[in-house]
Every structure is written in C-alpha cells, then in structure tokens.
Amino acid sequence: MPLFLHNTLTRKKQEFIPADVNRITLYVCGPTVYNHAHIGNFRAAVAFDVLFRLLRYYYGEQAVVYARNFTDIEDKIIRAAQENGKEIDEITTKYAKIYNSESAALKILPPTLEPLATEHVAEMQSIISTLLEKNAAYIAEEHVLFDTNQFSNYGALSNLNMDDMIAGARVEIAPYKRNPADFVLWKPSAAGEPGWQPPTKWQLSGNGRPGWHIECSAMIEKTLGTTIDIHAGGQDLRFPHHENEIAQSACAHDAPLSRVWLHNGFLQMGKDKMSKSVGNVALVCDLLEQWPGEVLRWALLSAQYRQPVEWTDALLEQSKTQLDRFYRLFTEQNINIDSQKPDSEFLNALNDDMNTPGAMAVLHGLRDRATRQTGTKKIETLRTLKASGILLGFFDADPEEWFKQKTGTASFNLTDTQIDILIEERVTAKTQKNYARADEIRDQLNADGVIIEDSANGTTWRRK
Ligand code: AMP
Ligand code: ZN
C-alpha cells in the first residue's frame, strides 16, 4: 500500500505523489521562541517527524528536504525581552537551544533546515513589494496590508466564508483596513522596538517589522521553492495563519504554495486544549525530569495525529509499562538490525495517513510472537520488531540503561554514580565474605528504589 495522507485542502485521503522524487519538500511552522514549551507545542513536531522518517525511508535520506522555522521576532518575544531586561536575541537563542535539546530527548530528528525569521526580512520585503506592484497589497497608516478581496480563493483551506472569518475572534478589526479580514504584512516599530528599514518605494516614514504570516511564505520560497509538496502544522493554524500564507504566496508567485496540507489535532487536558492562556500546561522540561523522552513520544503517538490526544498520568504510566515490555525482551539478547526491513503490516498502518496507534498495535503483536518463540525464529521476529520501532523513533536506547532511568513521580535520592559505587563496595564486601555489609548495601539500594540482580556476568541494577 502506498503512502496516503489526508489533505486539508481537498478534505480527502490521497495517495502522496511528490512532484520530484529526488527532492521532496516539507515545511512545518515552528515555535515562537520566548519561553518553555509545553507538551502540546510538541505534538506537531513529533507527528511530522514521523512523516519525515517515513519519507526518508521511502525516498532516501538525501531526497527529503524538511524546513521548520524559528519565529524569533514577534510581539510576545519583544514583551518578554522588555519584562526581563534582556536583549531579544539572548531570549530567542536561549529558548531555541532548549527547544532543540527537548526535541532530541523526544527523538525528533533535526529538520534539514531551521531558518530564522530575522534572517529572511529582505525576502519578506521582496514578496511584499511584489504584492504592492500587483495591487494585492496596500499601504494605510504606515502599515502594509494584504487585500483579501484580491484573492478569490481566500478561505478555501479552512472552508470558511468571509462572514465566518470576520466573526472569528482571530481577525483584528482596525480602522485602516479596507476589509476586516485584511492582514498585516508590515507594521511600524514603536520606539525601543526592533525595526528594519523598509524599501524607499513603499514611502513609509520609519522603520518597521514584518507581520507574522509573511515570514513562512518568505522562508518557504527561499529554502524550499515556490510550490512545495507538503505544508503542515497544528489545526489552529489553518485560519488565519495558513490561509494568509496561501493568499500572499499564491498572489506573489501565481502558483499554489503547497500541494498537500496536513493539520494535527490538539493535545488536551480533560476536555480542554492544553494552553498557556488556560494555564493547564505540562512543560516538557518538567516532564523530562520524570520520564524518559521516549515515553513522552510514545504517549504522543498513541493517537493518530488528526485525533485529539488526552494527556493523563495514566497515559504516561501505560506508555512506560509498554516500552518496558519491549526493552525487557531486548535485554535477553543483543539484536543487530543491520539492513532489516520494518514489518509490512506496520508500514501499511503508517501509510494509512500515519496511523501510529495501528502501527504500535503491530509492534505489540510482534512482541507477543517473539515471547512465544525460541531460537532463530525468535531472533528474526525481534529483528523485525526492532527495525520497525527504530523507524518510528523507538527502541534505540541501551536496554540496560533504559531500566536505570528515573520514572514517574517517585523520588530517588541516589545518583547513578552513587549506585555504581555502592555496588562496587558490595562486590568487595562479598569477596571479603562480609555478607552483613553486602546485605546492608542491597537493602539500602532497595529502599531507594534500586533493584540489583546478580548473575554469572556480574551485577546489574535498575530502578523500580
Ligand atoms: P501557542 O503557544 O498556544 O501560540 O502555540 C504555539 C504552537 O503550538 C501552535 O502552532 C499551536 O498549533 C501549537 N499548540 C499549542 N497548544 C497545543 C495543543 N494543546 N495541542 C497541539 N498543538 C498545540
Ligand atoms: Zn507558518
């Protein structure tokens, strides 16, 4: 079965056929870097990391170009800098770095390109100039605005008509707009705010900065091209962000921006979207203190990307238990996957619009089979299982290390090094036939949640 994806533009699941099999282009709207990300912010990054991995598997690593931007100029960033008495780039550099290290913990592959908005202001100005020349944009009160009446397809992606859009809370009403749905391409910078000099032909009186939407159009044009294969992001971005990206790029280039559009559902706390404004957030930095990144990834992928996923402690515990079962099998023997292919049923599930719960069910089935098997049959199944899991970003931890990780809310006092030292001391005690001390150490470790196992090859340990 070939890869099928649900295209928001056509509202259908369609076979994915790239324009050029040697250069497949994927763009995902990235984070605004001014504070710590919550786990909901990572849903798109993880969901489309699966797509990136799948495309690389089918077309080759070199053939897939994936760009995910950093929004490093925006009102919220400027406010954060002012409130903390810091320079803007100090804030954005810090949080972009944190975002990347959290991404790595969640086994998200680095995208091929990570463009910064602030490095593409000239490209943004160039698109805006084209739009002004084509009368698709106009200048009013020192702003440059996109004239939505000039783009007949406006609203096609989100399936909204003009009245719906105006009623939508996300359209800002401003007296200088010809139409309430018109959006800002360029705005004046107030004193103390960062600004760039606009082209003289715009005849503006001072420095300004770009509106939000134009940055993605400019970075896509620069890094990937005029029309790309796939553009993806959270479902809240369909309108106005993606609708506006489409309008400005299509008018500037007389070509569609993307052939396929994908949108992921929300991560929820109960019935509500996890959201900073509600305050019901679980920060990734805090979650990573308690759980291995792979557990968070497993939990995120336990629902198909278009469906909501409800974030609960039970989901995390269940994810850890399930991963433990796989890793326990891998502790039995060292599995070398070499050129082993993933399971075909597993791939079929992913080909069905990235049905990750279906793919994970196949992994469970393979695990059950391996548990019942012995000898070379078992090794064969384990190889297929591991190769499948690795494609999805799982199972590449050292199994022994896996069981040493801290998990859940239990608090552990001993560090890994302290545990190693105590175990060495216990070995010495045993060789000196000081069994009382050896037992004491075992009890002390046990009280701290560390289980030790003696075998012919020595002593190993894991956390409860
Ligand atoms: P925000 O910080 O709320 O502006 O969100 C930044 C990005 O994270 C947007 O692209 C949203 O689509 C995404 N996002 C925020 N909250 C959630 C959530 N609960 N589930 C999925 N995506 C989210
Ligand atoms: Zn975007």
Side-chain angles (χ1 to χ4, degrees):
M1 174 178 162
L3 175 60
F4 277 73
L5 296 171
H6 181 272
N7 187 353
T8 314
L9 210 50
T10 57
R11 289 165 249 290
K12 282 195 195 92
K13 244 191 243 182
Q14 293 171 317
E15 183 177 345
F16 173 66
I17 301 169
D20 174 0
V21 290
N22 296 312
R23 191 169 186 274
I24 292 145
T25 46
L26 167 66
Y27 185 88
V28 174
C29 297
T32 304
V33 274
Y34 68 105
N35 62 6
H36 284 285
H38 62 71
I39 189 71
N41 296 134
F42 271 97
R43 181 145 197 223
V46 169
F48 303 120
D49 174 65
V50 170
L51 178 62
F52 183 38
R53 287 167 180 270
L54 206 53
L55 293 172
R56 280 156 60 105
Y57 175 70
Y58 286 131
Y59 297 98
E61 289 186 9
Q62 300 307 318
V64 188
V65 192
Y66 170 24
R68 193 191 58 212
N69 71 301
F70 280 116
T71 298
D72 61 344
I73 177 72
E74 216 251 348
D75 292 353
K76 284 180 279 201
I77 306 177
I78 296 173
R79 218 175 306 132
Q82 284 166 348
E83 283 166 7
N84 295 294
K86 298 232 159 83
E87 293 298 323
I88 285 181
D89 61 353
E90 194 183 334
I91 300 232
T92 55
T93 310
K94 173 182 166 182
Y95 287 105
K97 211 168 149 203
I98 291 173
Y99 185 86
N100 277 345
S101 80
E102 292 175 349
S103 295
L106 292 172
K107 311 290 172 195
I108 297 169
L109 296 176
T112 328
L113 303 160
E114 293 175 284
L116 300 179
T118 50
E119 290 179 357
H120 293 81
V121 176
E123 286 82 1
M124 297 184 218
Q125 291 186 340
S126 160
I127 297 181
I128 297 171
S129 289
T130 306
L131 293 172
L132 283 166
E133 281 157 25
K134 290 185 168 180
N135 278 327
Y138 60 96
I139 293 173
E141 295 189 22
E142 296 295 313
H143 290 69
V144 187
L145 293 138
F146 184 88
D147 188 348
T148 45
N149 276 334
Q150 301 304 314
F151 185 57
S152 58
N153 255 340
Y154 195 72
L157 179 75
S158 44
N159 208 13
L160 295 171
N161 62 34
M162 211 43 110
D163 290 342
D164 295 334
M165 289 185 257
I166 294 165
R170 299 191 70 168
V171 169
E172 194 192 345
I173 309 287
Y176 48 79
K177 287 185 181 179
R178 287 183 191 163
N179 181 324
D182 294 353
F183 57 91
V184 171
L185 297 166
W186 190 264
K187 58 187 171 187
S189 294
E193 286 181 354
W196 287 261
Q197 193 178 3
T200 41
K201 61 188 168 190
W202 296 2
Q203 296 185 329
L204 299 177
S205 63
N207 284 359
R209 57 198 164 92
W212 169 36
H213 315 296
I214 191 71
E215 68 175 70
C216 289
S217 286
M219 288 184 271
I220 290 171
E221 180 195 73
K222 176 80 186 297
T223 60
L224 301 178
T226 306
T227 300
I228 63 172
D229 286 309
I230 305 172
H231 192 314
Q235 70 179 36
D236 55 331
L237 299 183
R238 273 191 317 175
F239 176 78
H241 184 55
H242 290 164
E243 205 71 73
N244 294 353
E245 281 187 35
I246 290 175
Q248 63 209 2
S249 289
C251 283
H253 301 133
D254 296 315
L257 174 57
S258 180
R259 296 164 53 247
V260 178
W261 285 82
L262 308 179
H263 291 97
N264 63 276
F266 290 136
L267 183 136
Q268 309 205 143
M269 289 289 240
K271 295 276 160 285
D272 300 317
K273 175 189 172 192
M274 183 181 281
S275 153
K276 257 173 276 185
S277 53
V278 179
N280 57 354
V281 296
L283 298 182
V284 176
C285 56
D286 292 337
L287 288 166
L288 286 172
E289 289 281 315
Q290 297 191 339
W291 302 96
E294 213 172 310
V295 169
L296 308 184
R297 183 180 178 92
W298 189 271
L300 283 172
L301 294 179
S302 65
Q304 197 261 1
Y305 75 97
R306 294 170 59 217
Q307 304 302 321
V309 60
E310 204 183 320
W311 198 254
T312 60
D313 286 343
L315 173 66
L316 287 165
E317 277 153 23
Q318 206 178 37
S319 300
K320 174 66 167 59
T321 308
Q322 293 182 358
L323 282 166
D324 280 353
R325 288 197 190 120
F326 292 105
Y327 274 109
R328 204 156 290 130
L329 261 184
F330 298 133
T331 47
E332 289 176 18
Q333 51 221 105
N334 198 9
I335 301 300
N336 189 342
I337 59 167
D338 292 331
S339 56
Q340 177 66 47
K341 290 214 163 27
D343 179 82
S344 60
E345 287 303 310
F346 170 86
L347 288 173
N348 279 344
L350 293 178
N351 286 344
D352 181 14
D353 197 26
M354 297 192 281
N355 177 5
T356 49
M360 285 149 102
V362 176
L363 298 182
H364 288 304
L366 288 168
R367 191 201 59 223
D368 289 345
R369 196 192 305 163
T371 309
R372 289 192 304 270
Q373 290 172 321
T374 52
T376 52
K377 278 232 156 64
K378 179 174 190 140
I379 290 174
E380 239 169 69
T381 309
L382 285 176
R383 275 164 53 90
T384 308
L385 171 61
K386 191 160 177 187
S388 305
I390 290 220
L391 176 67
L392 209 46
F394 298 110
F395 307 160
D396 77 338
D398 176 76
E400 232 176 72
E401 295 300 317
W402 173 263
F403 288 104
K404 291 180 181 176
Q405 299 176 96
K406 299 176 184 182
T407 52
T409 45
S411 62
F412 299 103
N413 298 316
L414 294 172
T415 65
D416 291 7
T417 316
Q418 287 168 327
I419 294 167
D420 287 336
I421 291 170
L422 280 170
I423 286 177
E424 262 175 50
E425 195 192 330
R426 181 170 165 271
V427 171
T428 313
K430 283 211 297 193
T431 45
Q432 293 168 350
K433 301 207 174 356
N434 183 354
Y435 297 112
R437 175 66 187 140
D439 287 348
E440 193 180 70
I441 292 171
R442 175 190 284 272
D443 293 345
Q444 185 186 349
L445 288 166
N446 192 39
D448 207 72
V450 179
I451 295 169
I452 53 178
E453 272 150 17
D454 295 317
S455 76
N457 299 327
T459 304
T460 57
W461 64 269
R462 62 187 165 86
R463 286 195 158 93
K464 269 185 215 168

